[in-house]
Amino acid sequence: MTDSAQPDFSRRSTARIATDRPVRYGKQLTSHMGRKITTVWSEDAKTGSLTFDREGAVTGVVALSCQDGFLQLDLTADDEHLERIEHVVGIHVARFGAKEGLVVTWRRQNGAPGTTQGPLTPEDLERMRAERGAHKASS
């Protein structure tokens, strides 16, 4: 497989996140997740991608595009990874945009609802910080 080839995934899910700052969140998401997976961000095009390849094989890809008033996330994955990737990407965006009350609602290609993340309360954020700290301490 060449670097430009992506697996042909059978499942698709889309989230359109209403925000006045789509570029900020798109750039922040690719920067943050780039520590563990392959990410790309184009400042000129205001687009990016997240390639979930942490274990080697690509399990899903999220295309990011910024429009006036929203950040769009287009996920392709297989059945096994779709819901997990929705959650991972969505919870990061909801956490980054907690002060703005961002909500990430995924809709599957067949029109069925996917998962939803956010809005997160200060208590949610504190609990998540504590859980991450406990996880890092046990690793």
Side-chain angles (χ1 to χ4, degrees):
M1 180 183 317
T2 66
D3 288 352
S4 61
Q6 295 292 340
D8 185 24
F9 293 116
S10 59
R11 301 287 305 274
R12 303 194 187 304
S13 190
T14 300
R16 289 173 56 118
I17 303 130
T19 176
D20 291 335
R21 301 185 294 177
V23 173
R24 175 180 185 256
Y25 293 119
K27 189 175 182 177
Q28 185 177 12
L29 185 63
T30 56
S31 175
H32 177 78
M33 296 196 79
R35 293 181 279 199
K36 298 198 176 184
I37 63 171
T38 302
T39 64
V40 175
W41 178 254
S42 169
E43 194 66 38
D44 292 338
K46 297 179 178 65
T47 60
S49 66
L50 311 172
T51 302
F52 285 80
D53 55 0
R54 188 173 182 178
E55 279 86 39
V58 177
T59 59
V61 176
V62 179
L64 294 77
S65 58
C66 299
Q67 311 295 328
D68 284 340
F70 67 91
L71 171 63
Q72 180 156 325
L73 307 173
D74 294 300
L75 165 61
T76 56
D78 56 24
D79 284 338
E80 182 183 351
H81 297 96
L82 185 76
E83 190 169 314
R84 175 77 181 135
I85 294 173
E86 282 180 352
H87 178 76
V88 167
V89 173
I91 203 68
H92 278 85
V93 174
R95 190 164 48 94
F96 297 154
K99 287 182 181 173
E100 194 177 332
L102 292 189
V103 176
V104 181
T105 302
W106 295 90
R107 176 131 332 255
R108 307 280 168 80
Q109 69 198 32
N110 63 1
T115 63
T116 298
Q117 296 78 38
L120 298 176
T121 66
E123 294 78 19
D124 292 331
L125 295 171
E126 185 56 40
R127 179 182 44 77
M128 292 167 76
R129 272 191 289 276
E131 288 170 357
R132 280 196 315 275
H135 176 72
K136 285 180 182 176
S138 68
S139 305

